Amino acid sequence: MTSQRTRERLIQRLRDEGIGNQAVLEAIRNTPRHIFVDEALASRAYEDTALPIGQGQTISQPFIVARMTELLLEAGPLETVLEIGTGSGYQTAILSKLVKRVYSVERIKSLQLQARKRFQELHVRNIRLHHRDGGMGLPEYAPFDGILVTAAPEGIPRALVDQLRVGGCMILPIGNRSEQVLVRVTRTRTGYEKELLEQVVFVPLLGGTL
């Protein structure tokens, strides 16, 4: 079990790195990251680093989780958010503390089942999980106020843009394995606007289900 001091060190590091949204910092402070990683890695859970979760996937470093969440919330409060890539469920759990409802899609069934157990353990009830090809999103539940993508497509998926409400935004990495950039996409009445933010490293967004 990790100490409160260890969590506080992480929060201070996030502040030092520029995370200023107090609600995001509180969500990270109050979400036990150690339950989202294998027990063998629990002692490293509050390091600001990505960690493996199996199936060739990772739990993102806390700074990236905080940064993407902060960017998503920058325009104001959100009711419904779509997450592409449930993974360990850590980012999902953070979002669940900040928006009314989170829809999360995962293509790897075993990861989705593990995440579901963690949400049950935490008594989180505003997350809706779907086992599906993430690139297709969840058109039957659209439009969403925001979309957060935790794996990198090579370009902006138009199918996901179309599931945003007008004025809603999507935060996602785009690029190939050697070069990726974080992007904010805002849906407009005639299409979308994009803003390139910073260099990042994510696993690629793959199609199909496992």
Side-chain angles (χ1 to χ4, degrees), residues 9 18 22 24 31 64 106 111 159 167 172 183 196:
R9 278 202 298 267
Q22 192 58 38
V24 171
T31 301
I64 288 295
E106 175 54 57
L111 292 182
L172 77 162
V183 179
L196 305 181

Side-chain angles (χ1 to χ4, degrees), residues 65-169:
V65 170
R67 174 72 172 141
M68 292 179 73
T69 306
E70 185 174 65
L71 288 165
L72 191 70
L73 297 173
E74 220 166 59
L78 305 178
E79 291 244 327
T80 60
V81 168
L82 172 63
E83 178 192 38
I84 303 300
T86 313
S88 70
Y90 178 66
Q91 172 75 79
T92 327
I94 298 296
L95 286 171
S96 76
K97 294 178 181 293
L98 298 162
V99 305
K100 185 174 181 180
R101 186 172 295 110
V102 182
Y103 293 88
S104 187
V105 177
E106 175 54 57
R107 64 183 287 271
I108 302 173
K109 187 67 174 178
S110 60
L111 292 182
Q112 186 205 45
L113 292 174
Q114 289 172 354
R116 188 184 300 278
K117 288 179 184 176
R118 291 165 180 146
F119 301 146
Q120 290 170 346
E121 182 181 341
L122 293 172
H123 306 291
V124 179
R125 295 186 174 88
N126 63 335
I127 295 171
R128 306 288 181 265
L129 298 177
H130 295 265
H131 178 229
R132 192 177 295 190
D133 182 332
M136 303 306 294
L138 290 172
E140 63 270 38
Y141 295 102
F144 298 98
D145 297 320
I147 299 176
L148 194 151
V149 184
T150 64
E154 293 201 356
I156 296 170
R158 189 56 199 247
L160 296 181
V161 174
D162 290 344
Q163 291 171 45
L164 281 170
R165 65 167 173 79
V166 173
C169 84

